[in-house]
């Protein structure tokens, strides 16, 4: 019982310390200024952000626990949760950007790679394989998920309900949206 109480106390302290750090990490890779077809969210300084976020991991001999809470260790209100699984070998998921939706992508089982592209030359590949880490992807970031391991499960926490018009599916349209308007 003592170990559990100690873990809860640690978690509460960890949450308080991480809230500000998480919000700072979210803007770490920001590269976009004001653009007309990409929306804004009050918890993100600028669009085009992405960052790997460590979620609290409570170690317990009965099994570990990780918690995701909106506006505590997730920098937005969670409106939708979805997951992909049984992805056939060699298949890709994603291949789009969002105008207003922010997401946290988590490999809750297995592993996969996420390529994020801000459309302005910033492109990175993240290998997700820990259920206590999430990749924050802000608005105006193209994402592609691939190289899924057998049995991989990709969980996504989204800031918006599904809206087909909010997606950008064509890469050329995405590039037009993220490039600053010429004077």
């Amino acid at each position: 019982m003592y170990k559990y109480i100690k873990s809860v106390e640690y978690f509460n302290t960890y949450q308080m310390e991480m809230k500000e750090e998480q919000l700072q990490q979210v803007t770490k890779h920001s590269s976009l200024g004001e653009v007309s077809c990409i929306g804004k969210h009050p918890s993100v300084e600028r669009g085009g952000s992405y960052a790997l976020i460590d979620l609290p991991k409570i170690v317990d001999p009965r099994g570990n626990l990780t918690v995701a809470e909106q506006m505590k260790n997730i920098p937005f209100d969670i409106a939708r949760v979805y997951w992909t699984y049984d992805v056939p070998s060699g298949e890709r998921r994603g291949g789009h950007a969002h105008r207003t939706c922010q997401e946290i992508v988590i490999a809750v089982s297995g592993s996969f790679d996420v390529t994020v592209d801000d459309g302005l030359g910033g492109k990175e590949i993240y290998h997700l394989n820990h259920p206590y880490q999430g990749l924050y992807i802000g608005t105006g970031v193209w994402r592609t998920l691939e190289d899924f391991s057998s049995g991989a499960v990709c969980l996504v926490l989204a800031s918006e309900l599904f809206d087909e018009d909010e997606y950008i599916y064509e890469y050329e349209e995405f590039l037009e949206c993220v490039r600053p308007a010429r004077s």
Side-chain angles (χ1 to χ4, degrees):
M1 188 66 166
Y2 173 73
K3 287 182 181 179
Y4 176 73
I5 292 171
K6 185 176 178 183
S7 294
V8 170
E9 288 171 0
Y10 170 78
F11 173 70
N12 289 336
T13 302
Y14 179 87
Q15 258 189 326
M16 299 286 282
E17 292 170 356
M18 292 304 295
K19 184 175 181 183
E20 184 62 31
E21 185 178 325
Q22 299 291 357
L23 293 175
Q24 289 173 358
Q25 282 182 344
V26 161
T27 60
K28 180 180 178 185
H29 295 287
S30 293
S31 59
L32 299 178
E34 289 292 328
V35 288
S36 60
C37 57
I38 304 295
K40 299 288 181 200
H41 191 279
S43 66
V44 178
E45 187 176 295
R46 299 185 304 179
S49 304
Y50 50 88
L52 195 61
I53 294 176
D54 287 326
L55 298 168
K57 178 181 177 183
I58 301 170
V59 178
D60 187 303
R62 300 169 297 164
N64 298 333
L65 173 70
T66 294
V67 177
E69 293 182 282
Q70 62 189 17
M71 300 311 295
K72 289 188 179 178
N73 53 22
I74 303 299
F76 53 78
D77 290 328
I78 301 167
R80 178 172 51 121
V81 177
Y82 64 92
W83 51 98
T84 59
Y85 54 94
D86 294 340
V87 178
S89 179
E91 287 297 321
R92 291 181 175 187
R93 300 288 309 195
H96 63 268
H98 290 282
R99 298 176 195 280
T100 58
C101 187
Q102 302 172 82
E103 295 182 330
I104 301 279
V105 178
I106 303 168
V108 292
S109 181
S111 65
F112 51 89
D113 293 336
V114 182
T115 303
V116 289
D117 178 355
D118 68 8
L120 301 171
K123 191 174 194 177
E124 292 190 46
I125 299 173
Y126 290 89
H127 182 70
L128 299 183
N129 63 348
H130 299 296
Y132 55 86
Q133 288 185 324
L135 179 60
Y136 169 84
I137 305 175
T139 60
V141 176
W142 190 267
R143 83 282 323 270
T144 305
L145 290 72
E146 58 192 335
D147 295 328
F148 287 82
S149 68
S150 177
V153 178
C154 170
L155 177 74
V156 179
L157 309 175
S159 67
E160 307 293 328
L161 297 174
F162 179 77
D163 177 2
E164 186 77 29
D165 294 333
E166 191 270 328
Y167 284 71
I168 303 171
Y169 290 113
E170 298 298 326
Y171 189 73
E172 290 303 317
E173 178 187 356
F174 162 70
L175 291 177
E176 289 174 19
C177 285
V178 298
R179 290 186 184 136
R182 296 183 183 171
S183 334

